Structures are given as structure tokens and as C-alpha cells.
């Protein structure tokens, strides 16, 4: 008989995710928590980490690792008020490492929060209605959506769905309130239960997005479940549903692979939440609970087949999905610069390199955004590409905000090459425990090197998607970029080419384990070739397939085929 993964018993016996977390967070005699508590703390949005830059040195001096925690905030659609922005800015300075990280799933992360400061940080977040519940762990995570809710009524409907799904699938346990907020949740006389998840929650993390075509900025094909808005006469008449996308894999293990989601049908707006719940239930009941490397929804869909999965889903629903409708995506990057809302207000989509909001000697970005937040009466919306939209700027405020943008140089980054504007790098070193090499700290330098080639070829303004991750877990969604780098070992990367420009095709391994200094000489002739011989409108990812640099990857299960 197969054996359940130990995390299953841990969840089951944790008293709905409490375990010994309260006791361990209260013990400040050391900066860490036990291995079991590390697993449970993820459900409350936090990870134990250590500063890997100083790990070796501390080991040499027989010192403990330099422990601290990452806190990830749940914020459906990436939207926060100016007041919430200011609070996170304050917390990053006073309880974390001074930076605010905007993630690839439209969330904030604080890095470097020491154990002693965890509870005060969560309490401060709570005062502005922000929390970290279910930001990580084997549950549905932050629900993503296009970052322009007021662009049209359809956008507003889409963000409402993202919000409603997030609320519907939120764990019911009062553990977070008990541990961090002195049991502030209103006590119920009913015995505690998790109606949707049950005591063992899901086999693994679960991710949902809502997209508004033609923008695929949330990268629907990389997620467990997505709703693609089908719009007629500026209203959403329903959603195509896709299931089974995911990025993570393990080097050398060919039964792990990135996979694109399958579109399985169309549902009306009033069915969407029910469909989200039932997809979660099918995964709860049929997902693999023995091997966590095979437990994501993408492998459940792969095992059952998209048709088999749909049949099971329809059994749970008690009705059939309608055939999927026509739609078209044209890009998966952000639409930078100004846009006008239907309500007369304006939005500004800024480029935030690596999603890291920080002040440096020559670019006081964090201060600039803080000054804007002090007068802004709209929202700040994090994009799925680690960037930021200052949303809903009222005509009365626009002049003053423009002056601040100018003063703090916030618009300068928008003059970057189109490759830089279409880049994503995951966090990696020094905080990520799983990083095999650099990513966020290296990709900007690499792009500077490549920009020389782009400039010489006249391609500075041609968008090419480029993404880097420090390991194959795929947090920057590198396997659907036109040029993807995935960390292999210190200073070495696998180079993947041929992803689809709007995230519709996986890329393919072109060169294995190349050293950082080999990247420019390897890519330059290909970029030059593209500049000379591309067809009218041909994307880089399509070109490298047509001209034979790589074969097209047609499905996740042939990702590893040469
Ligand atoms: Fe991720 C684990 C950072 C988006 C796939 N991810 C991690 C951890 C928590 C490392 C760990 O387990 O110890 C990283 C923390 C690093 C740090 O110091 O901050 C981490 N992931 C991130 C973020 C911050 C990357 C970024 O630079 O923005 C993103 C936070 C998103 C959020 O707000 O929730 C982030 N992670 C993703 C994505 C992209 C997405 O979902 O759109 C993926 C690929 C999609 C997918 O899930 O398949 C992703 N992260 C993973 C995986 C591989 C999962 C798998 O199926 O194998 C891991 C490792 C794991 O779960 O075992 C992981
Ligand atoms: Fe860490 Fe790997 Fe994710 Fe990058 S891709 S943040 S290195 S787990």
C-alpha cells in the first residue's frame, strides 16, 4: 500500500493549523522554529529563511544561521489602498530588511523579519485590514487578476470575481487569529471545521487567476485554474475555464515538468465560484498525497487526462460545462505608462526592476512612492509581472503626482529597452532557501550586456520576453518566456528558447548548464539572425523554432524531449 507523505499527518493532527506555533513564536531564545512548525507556518503566510550570503562564514565561526522570516501578504488582484501601501512601507523599514518585494503573484513580501518581530508585524498589518492567511501552504493562494479594475466595467467584474473566489476559498480555521491576534476572530458555538478543505487541506499549493483578454498578464497557462473573461458589448458574459498549468520541476527528474493549462469549457458568471470550488474538491479528492513532487493539480490533470478531469468535475458540479468560446491574447507583459479609466481617472503602470521597492543612492524609488502614497486617493495595484500600477489617479491629484514622479525619477525606468521591460527575475539569493544560483541580483546586469547587441541590431524597442529563476521551481514563470534561464549550480544556467510571446507555448532546452559569461556570446548571433531574417511581425520565440534553434514544445509531457 502506498504511504501518505508525512505532511498529511502533520496537517491532520495540527488542530486546524495551530500545532505548536504559538508556543514556538513565543520562545525568543532562538530565531528558528521546528521543522513541523515551518510547514504549518506557511499556511499563515510565512517561511523561515536564513541569509545565505553569510551562511558559510557563520558556519566557519560555529554560529547559528542568520535566521529571519519572509511574510507574504494576501491581496486578491494585487490591490491595496494608499494607507495600506504606507503601512507596508513602514513595516519594511521598521521590522524587515528595508525593502518591499512585489511578487509575480501580485503580493507583497517582507524579507528579514526576525522571530521576535513576527507577531507585531502581523498585528500592524491587521490594523489596515491586511493579512497573510493562506498566502502560502496547501490551500488556494492569492487570486490574481488584471491590474486595471477601472479600465472598463468588464475589468471591474473580473476583479470582483477574483475577490469573491478568494473569500470563498479562504480556510475557515481561527488559527491565524488565535496565534497572531490574540484569538480576535468572533468565536462560534459550532465545532471548528473546514467545509471545503477538510482536516488535511489540499495535497499541495493551489493557484487561481482571472484574465481579461487580450491581456494574458496573469499568465493563465501557468496556473492550476483560470477564468478567461469572454466579453460582449463591454460586459462579461461568462468565462472559459482552464485547468492544470504549473511551472515547477526538478532537474534530472523527467517525470516532473512544466505544463500548460488546458481550456476545458465555458461557464456563466453565476457558475464561476461553484466551478472554482468543485475544481478544488476534485484536486482534494484525487490529487497525489504520497509524493509532493507529483501532487500539483497539473499532474492530476495529466493522469486523468483533460477530458477525464472534466467528466469528474461535471459529476461534482451536477451540470456540464459549455463548449469554450473564442478569445484572443496578444501579450503577457504589462502595458506601461498612462491609461485612462472609464470614470475619468488615470492609471500609471510603472516598471519596478525585480519587483524590489528600495531606495538606492541614485534612485530614491521607495521614498518617491511613499510621497505619492501620502497624497494619492486611489489604489496601488501590483501586477503579475512584479510591477506597479498607481491606479485611479483623480484629475485633481494628477498634477501633484506628476511633479513627484518627476522629482523622484520614477518615470525614467520606462525608457528601458523593451527586453528589460518584459523581464522577470525571481528572488533567489540571498533569501531563498532553494536557490541554486543568483537571479534577481544578476538578470539586470545580463540585460545590460544584451542591450548592446539589441542596440546594434536595432531591436531596442522590440519586446522579447526574458525570465530568470535561480532554480527550476519556476517562480518567475521562466518556462513560458521566449528566452528563459533556470539556475543549475552556482553561476550556471540552463538556457531555454522558444516560449510563446503571450505565454501560450513552453520553451525548450537550448543549452545546458552554461556559465554566466557564455550567455552573451551564445545569444548574440541568434539575436542578430533574428534582426536580419525575421518575417514581418514574427516574434523571437516563433523565429527560433522556424529557423531550427529548438523544436517547439507541444505539451508539458514532451518538454524534456530533444
Ligand atoms: Fe515560488 C517556493 C518565491 C511565485 C513555484 N517560491 C518558493 C519559496 C517560498 C522558496 C521556499 O519554498 O523555501 C520562494 C521564496 C523566496 C524568497 O526569498 O522570497 C518563492 N514564488 C516566489 C516569489 C516571491 C517569486 C518572485 O520573485 O516574485 C513569488 C511569490 C508569489 C506569491 O505572491 O504568491 C513566487 N512560485 C511562484 C510561481 C509563479 C506563479 O505562481 O505565477 C511559481 C510557478 C508556478 C507554479 O506554482 O507552478 C512558483 N515556488 C514555486 C515552487 C515549485 C512548485 C512546484 O509545483 O513544484 C516552489 C517550491 C515548492 O513549492 O516546493 C516555490
Ligand atoms: Fe527560489 Fe527557485 Fe523560486 Fe527562484 S525559482 S524564488 S530560486 S524557489
Amino acid at each position: 500500500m502506498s504511504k501518505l507523505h508525512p505532511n498529511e499527518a502533520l496537517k491532520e493532527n495540527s488542530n486546524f493549523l495551530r500545532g505548536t506555533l504559538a508556543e514556538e513564536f513565543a520562545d525568543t531564545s532562538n530565531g528558528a522554529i521546528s521543522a513541523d512548525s515551518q510547514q504549518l507556518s506557511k499556511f499563515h503566510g510565512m517561511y523561515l529563511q536564513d541569509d545565505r550570503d553569510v551562511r558559510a562564514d557563520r558556519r566557519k565561526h560555529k554560529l547559528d544561521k542568520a535566521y529571519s522570516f519572509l511574510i507574504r501578504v494576501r491581496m486578491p488582484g494585487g490591490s491595496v489602498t494608499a494607507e495600506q501601501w504606507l503601512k507596508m512601507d513602514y513595516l519594511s523599514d521598521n521590522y524587515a530588511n528595508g525593502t518591499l518585494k512585489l511578487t509575480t503573484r501580485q503580493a507583497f513580501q517582507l524579507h528579514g523579519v526576525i522571530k521576535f518581530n513576527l507577531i507585531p508585524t502581523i498585528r500592524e498589518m491587521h490594523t489596515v485590514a491586511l493579512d497573510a492567511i493562506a498566502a502560502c501552504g496547501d490551500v488556494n493562494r492569492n487570486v490574481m487578476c488584471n491590474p486595471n479594475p477601472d479600465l472598463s466595467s468588464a475589468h471591474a467584474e473580473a476583479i470582483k470575481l477574483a475577490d469573491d473566489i478568494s473569500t470563498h476559498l479562504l480556510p475557515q480555521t481561527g488559527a491565524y487569529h488565535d496565534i497572531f491576534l490574540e484569538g480576535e476572530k468572533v468565536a462560534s458555538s459550532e465545532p471548528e471545521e473546514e467545509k471545503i478543505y477538510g482536516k488535511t487541506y489540499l495535497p499541495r499549493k493551489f493557484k487561481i487567476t482571472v484574465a481579461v483578454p487580450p491581456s494574458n498578464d496573469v499568465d493563465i497557462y501557468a496556473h492550476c485554474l483560470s477564468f478567461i473573461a469572454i466579453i460582449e458589448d463591454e460586459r462579461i458574459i461568462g468565462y472559459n475555464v482552464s485547468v492544470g498549468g504549473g511551472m515547477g520541476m526538478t532537474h534530472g527528474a523527467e517525470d516532473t515538468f512544466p505544463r500548460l493549462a488546458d481550456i476545458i469549457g465555458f461557464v456563466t458568471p453565476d457558475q464561476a465560484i461553484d466551478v472554482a470550488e468543485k475544481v478544488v474538491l476534485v484536486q482534494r479528492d484525487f490529487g497525489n498525497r504520497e509524493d509532493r513532487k507529483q501532487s500539483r493539480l497539473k499532474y492530476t490533470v495529466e493522469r486523468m487526462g483533460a477530458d477525464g478531469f472534466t467528466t469528474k468535475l461535471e459529476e461534482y458540479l451536477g451540470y456540464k460545462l459549455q463548449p469554450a468560446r473564442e478569445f484572443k491574447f496578444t501579450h503577457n507583459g504589462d502595458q506601461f505608462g498612462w491609461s485612462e479609466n472609464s470614470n475619468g481617472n488615470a492609471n500609471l503602470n510603472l516598471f519596478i526592476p525585480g519587483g524590489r521597492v528600495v531606495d538606492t543612492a541614485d534612485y530614491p524609488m521607495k521614498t518617491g512612492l511613499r510621497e505619492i502614497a501620502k497624497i494619492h486617493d486611489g489604489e496601488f495595484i501590483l501586477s503579475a509581472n512584479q510591477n506597479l500600477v498607481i491606479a485611479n489617479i483623480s484629475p485633481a491629484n494628477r498634477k501633484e503626482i506628476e511633479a513627484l514622479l518627476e522629482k523622484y525619477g520614477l518615470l525614467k525606468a520606462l525608457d528601458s529597452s523593451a527586453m528589460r521591460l518584459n523581464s522577470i527575475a525571481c528572488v533567489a539569493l540571498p533569501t531563498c532557501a532553494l536557490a541554486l544560483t543568483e537571479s534577481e541580483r544578476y538578470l539586470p546586469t545580463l540585460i545590460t550586456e544584451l542591450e548592446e547587441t539589441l542596440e546594434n541590431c536595432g531591436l531596442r524597442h522590440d519586446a522579447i520576453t526574458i525570465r530568470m529563476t535561480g532554480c527550476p521551481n519556476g517562480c518567475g514563470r521562466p518556462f513560458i518566456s521566449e528566452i528563459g534561464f533556470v539556475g543549475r549550480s552556482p553561476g550556471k544556467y540552463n538556457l531555454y528558447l522558444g516560449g510563446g510571446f503571450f505565454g501560450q507555448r513552453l520553451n525548450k532546452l537550448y543549452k545546458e548548464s552554461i556559465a554566466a559569461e557564455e550567455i552573451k556570446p551564445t545569444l548574440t548571433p541568434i539575436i542578430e539572425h533574428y534582426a536580419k531574417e525575421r518575417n514581418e511581425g514574427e516574434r523571437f520565440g516563433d523565429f527560433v523554432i522556424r529557423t531550427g534553434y529548438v523544436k517547439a514544445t507541444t505539451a508539458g509531457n514532451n518538454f524534456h524531449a530533444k
Side-chain angles (χ1 to χ4, degrees):
M1 213 181 72
S2 56
K3 215 165 148 264
L4 289 179
H5 190 278
N7 280 23
E8 294 302 315
L10 176 67
K11 287 182 271 184
E12 181 154 18
N13 301 323
S14 69
N15 185 18
F16 295 100
L17 309 178
R18 288 175 179 79
T20 53
L21 283 172
E23 295 85 326
E24 293 192 43
F25 286 140
D27 172 10
T28 48
S29 65
N30 69 71
I33 52 175
S34 65
D36 281 357
S37 287
Q38 286 178 46
Q39 293 303 322
L40 293 178
S41 69
K42 294 182 191 179
F43 290 81
H44 308 301
M46 51 200 72
Y47 283 77
L48 178 67
Q49 303 188 311
D50 72 288
D51 182 347
R52 295 185 57 187
D53 281 348
V54 299
R55 199 189 267 181
D57 197 49
R58 289 180 73 92
R59 195 186 300 128
K60 204 167 89 195
H61 292 95
K62 300 196 169 26
L63 291 170
D64 246 7
K65 288 177 177 170
Y67 289 117
S68 66
F69 285 80
L70 168 175
I71 300 180
R72 191 180 285 165
V73 182
R74 187 180 54 87
M75 33 204 277
S79 184
V80 289
T81 61
E83 184 196 14
Q84 289 171 328
W85 180 277
L86 287 171
K87 177 62 79 177
M88 292 307 297
D89 175 83
Y90 166 84
L91 292 174
S92 69
D93 283 339
N94 290 281
Y95 293 117
N97 68 355
T99 74
L100 254 187
K101 165 77 185 173
L102 317 186
T103 75
T104 52
R105 301 200 77 253
Q106 300 183 284
F108 284 124
Q109 277 186 184
L110 295 173
H111 287 107
V113 183
I114 56 169
K115 188 160 100 172
F116 183 68
N117 282 333
L118 271 179
I119 290 179
T121 306
I122 296 288
R123 287 189 183 161
E124 290 258 8
M125 279 166 41
H126 185 65
T127 63
V128 292
L130 284 176
D131 66 65
I133 302 172
C136 323
D138 298 344
V139 281
N140 175 53
R141 308 238 179 135
N142 202 32
V143 181
M144 291 161 71
C145 190
N146 181 279
N148 293 97
D150 299 296
L151 220 46
S152 73
S153 55
H155 286 81
E157 288 173 57
I159 181 74
K160 170 140 187 357
L161 176 64
D163 237 333
D164 290 348
I165 293 175
S166 173
T167 305
H168 188 76
L169 295 177
L170 206 60
Q172 294 303 297
T173 171
Y176 181 89
H177 291 75
D178 286 350
I179 298 165
F180 300 103
L181 303 170
E182 297 178 308
E184 209 185 82
K185 198 177 185 192
V186 182
S188 147
S189 52
E190 301 290 315
E192 198 165 32
E193 64 174 327
E194 288 282 7
K195 288 208 175 79
I196 294 178
Y197 294 115
K199 275 186 169 181
T200 49
Y201 295 83
L202 294 180
R204 200 72 156 82
K205 56 175 74 166
F206 195 91
K207 299 181 173 180
I208 301 180
T209 74
V210 181
V212 187
S215 175
N216 184 24
D217 53 355
V218 293
D219 264 333
I220 65 128
Y221 297 105
H223 289 90
C224 300
L225 166 64
S226 294
F227 293 90
I228 304 146
I230 303 297
I231 300 169
E232 266 179 32
D233 298 329
E234 296 178 13
R235 298 306 304 258
I236 295 180
I237 56 157
Y239 299 89
N240 279 353
V241 178
S242 67
V243 293
M247 293 282 100
M249 62 160 216
T250 306
H251 287 311
E254 295 217 347
D255 61 342
T256 66
F257 46 83
R259 186 183 192 280
L260 295 188
D262 294 290
I263 295 179
I264 58 169
F266 171 88
V267 297
T268 55
D270 59 319
Q271 293 171 329
I273 291 184
D274 187 31
V275 169
E277 178 186 311
K278 299 303 185 303
V279 171
V280 164
L281 293 188
V282 175
Q283 166 66 354
R284 180 196 68 187
D285 298 345
F286 294 90
N288 183 327
R289 289 183 185 262
E290 286 114 42
D291 177 358
R292 285 178 70 81
K293 285 200 184 298
Q294 291 292 323
S295 57
R296 295 293 301 275
L297 179 76
K298 65 179 175 182
Y299 297 116
T300 313
V301 174
E302 185 72 22
R303 251 188 300 118
M304 296 170 99
D307 289 345
F309 184 90
T310 309
T311 305
K312 185 54 73 184
L313 171 65
E314 288 172 341
E315 244 175 58
Y316 275 55
L317 287 167
Y319 53 86
K320 286 205 171 307
L321 305 184
Q322 297 177 40
R325 306 280 171 96
E326 288 280 314
F327 70 98
K328 194 171 175 210
F329 285 135
T330 55
H331 60 90
N332 68 353
D334 285 355
Q335 300 302 288
F336 292 105
W338 290 96
S339 60
E340 305 299 323
N341 282 338
S342 49
N343 62 6
N345 291 345
N347 310 306
L348 176 65
N349 195 335
L350 291 171
F351 174 56
I352 310 289
R356 188 68 66 173
V357 178
V358 62
D359 280 345
T360 59
D362 52 358
Y363 184 18
M365 177 211 295
K366 194 166 180 228
T367 305
L369 291 171
R370 183 186 312 125
E371 292 307 310
I372 289 174
K374 285 180 188 165
I375 60 160
H376 182 39
D377 50 9
E379 300 85 38
F380 287 86
I381 307 185
L382 281 53
S383 86
N385 295 302
Q386 304 174 321
N387 297 311
L388 180 65
V389 179
I390 306 177
N392 244 329
I393 302 173
S394 59
N397 250 354
R398 183 156 170 174
K399 275 232 145 35
E400 213 177 330
I401 287 184
E402 280 177 341
L404 290 168
L405 291 165
E406 189 65 38
K407 177 171 175 192
Y408 292 98
L410 287 158
L411 295 174
K412 268 194 229 136
L414 293 178
D415 295 333
S416 306
S417 67
M419 178 184 271
R420 196 180 292 275
L421 293 173
N422 281 280
S423 65
I424 296 183
C426 76
V427 178
L429 294 171
T431 51
C432 180
L434 307 177
L436 302 171
T437 187
E438 298 285 351
S439 179
E440 183 187 328
R441 295 193 295 197
Y442 173 53
L443 186 63
T445 313
L446 173 64
I447 294 178
T448 304
E449 288 172 19
L450 294 175
E451 274 169 350
E452 202 187 325
T453 307
L454 294 169
E455 200 76 57
N456 293 339
C457 298
L459 293 178
R460 188 181 154 78
H461 299 295
D462 288 66
I464 297 175
T465 57
I466 183 166
R467 297 178 175 181
M468 175 176 279
T469 56
C471 86
N473 282 316
C475 300
R477 301 187 290 271
F479 301 114
I480 40 177
S481 57
E482 296 180 289
I483 304 177
F485 297 96
V486 173
R488 199 59 232 229
S489 58
K492 294 206 167 155
Y493 298 84
N494 281 359
L495 167 56
Y496 297 85
L497 296 178
F501 181 72
F502 51 93
Q504 81 285 16
R505 183 179 57 236
L506 293 166
N507 46 28
K508 180 72 88 193
L509 182 63
Y510 176 63
K511 283 265 178 323
E512 194 165 355
S513 200
I514 61 171
E517 52 279 12
E518 290 173 68
I519 294 175
K520 188 180 174 198
T522 304
L523 278 179
T524 295
I526 306 176
I527 293 173
E528 285 169 350
H529 189 188
Y530 172 62
K532 277 201 200 100
E533 292 187 21
R534 63 180 162 161
N535 293 331
E536 176 77 30
E538 189 175 28
R539 292 286 171 193
F540 183 81
D542 301 330
F543 173 83
V544 292
I545 291 170
R546 178 174 66 79
T547 51
Y549 290 99
V550 287
K551 288 208 176 108
T553 298
T554 51
N557 56 22
N558 73 28
F559 178 74
H560 297 292
K562 291 272 157 27

